[in-house]
Amino acid sequence: AEERENLTWELFGSASRELAQEVAADGFVPDLILSIARGGLFVAGALGYALDVKNLHVMNVEFYTGVDQRLDLPVMLPPVPNVVDLTHKKVLVADDVADTGATLKLVRDFCADHVADVRCAVVYEKPASTVKCEYVWKRTDRWINFPWSVLPPVVERAGQVLDA
Ligand code: 5GP
């Protein structure tokens, strides 16, 4: 058996289409899609076209990796979306994978007090995820290779730290 999930660009095309169909079949009509950078950008773009939603927002959430550091919790990086843009809206959060679910938990909590409805769509969900996503293309406990991150960058930036 394969040790990894290998999502190719081609498979991503049909996966995102099927994910959109799940959302549509459920009758959920989002006012906006909130993507979680960076992996969620691809998912959000594909869902935006398939669901005919033009209102796309971006949130930067990362497990901060400075010099050999990884936090236990994800953090929001600036720019943080304007809460006014989300208020009373039906929000579809788009990400590539819910692993521990910590990232989506942060985003859900950020939205919860302001929006009318917040639901999550992911390509993959792992069994340990604390957030149970409303829309999931595939459940797996394997490591996933995504087409956008399987290759190393074409540049080398030693000791790169995130700009605040
Ligand atoms: P979380 O643990 O907060 O649900 O996921 C945090 C992030 O870890 C994901 O958005 C993704 O960038 C990364 N991640 C988690 N599991 C995998 C995986 O199986 N493959 C890849 N490429 N990244 C993963």
Side-chain angles (χ1 to χ4, degrees):
E2 283 272 322
E3 283 179 23
R4 291 188 176 204
E5 296 283 349
N6 276 299
L7 187 69
T8 61
W9 282 113
E10 192 172 6
L11 188 55
F12 170 67
S14 43
S16 55
R17 194 85 192 162
E18 287 169 29
L19 190 57
Q21 265 149 2
E22 270 188 57
V23 177
D26 194 38
F28 186 57
V29 182
D31 296 309
L32 65 91
I33 296 174
L34 180 57
S35 70
I36 306 180
R38 290 169 290 173
L41 285 166
F42 300 94
V43 183
L47 290 178
Y49 275 107
L51 294 171
D52 200 22
V53 174
K54 291 176 180 172
N55 197 359
L56 302 192
H57 291 244
V58 182
M59 206 164 158
N60 287 285
V61 181
E62 302 241 326
F63 283 96
Y64 183 89
T65 42
V67 185
D68 247 8
Q69 285 183 339
R70 182 188 162 104
L71 295 181
D72 296 332
L73 291 170
V75 292
M76 280 189 249
L77 302 177
V80 171
N82 187 341
V83 163
V84 174
D85 294 335
L86 309 178
T87 300
H88 308 315
K89 297 283 167 46
K90 287 181 283 172
V91 178
L92 184 64
V93 177
D95 207 354
D96 48 2
V97 53
D99 184 2
T100 65
T103 301
L104 285 169
K105 172 104 176 43
L106 183 78
V107 176
R108 244 191 210 286
D109 291 351
F110 174 80
C111 291
D113 296 336
H114 313 284
V115 308
D117 197 350
V118 56
R119 303 190 190 179
C120 297
V122 291
V123 183
Y124 293 97
E125 185 179 273
K126 300 196 183 178
S129 177
T130 54
V131 169
K132 302 303 170 195
C133 297
E134 284 80 0
Y135 311 109
V136 177
W137 178 68
K138 187 171 183 182
R139 293 172 207 284
T140 186
D141 56 5
R142 299 171 182 155
W143 183 257
I144 306 143
N145 284 337
F146 289 102
W148 43 84
S149 55
V150 71
L151 297 174
V154 299
V155 291
E156 241 177 279
R157 294 201 281 165
Q160 182 193 7
V161 288
L162 296 161
D163 295 323

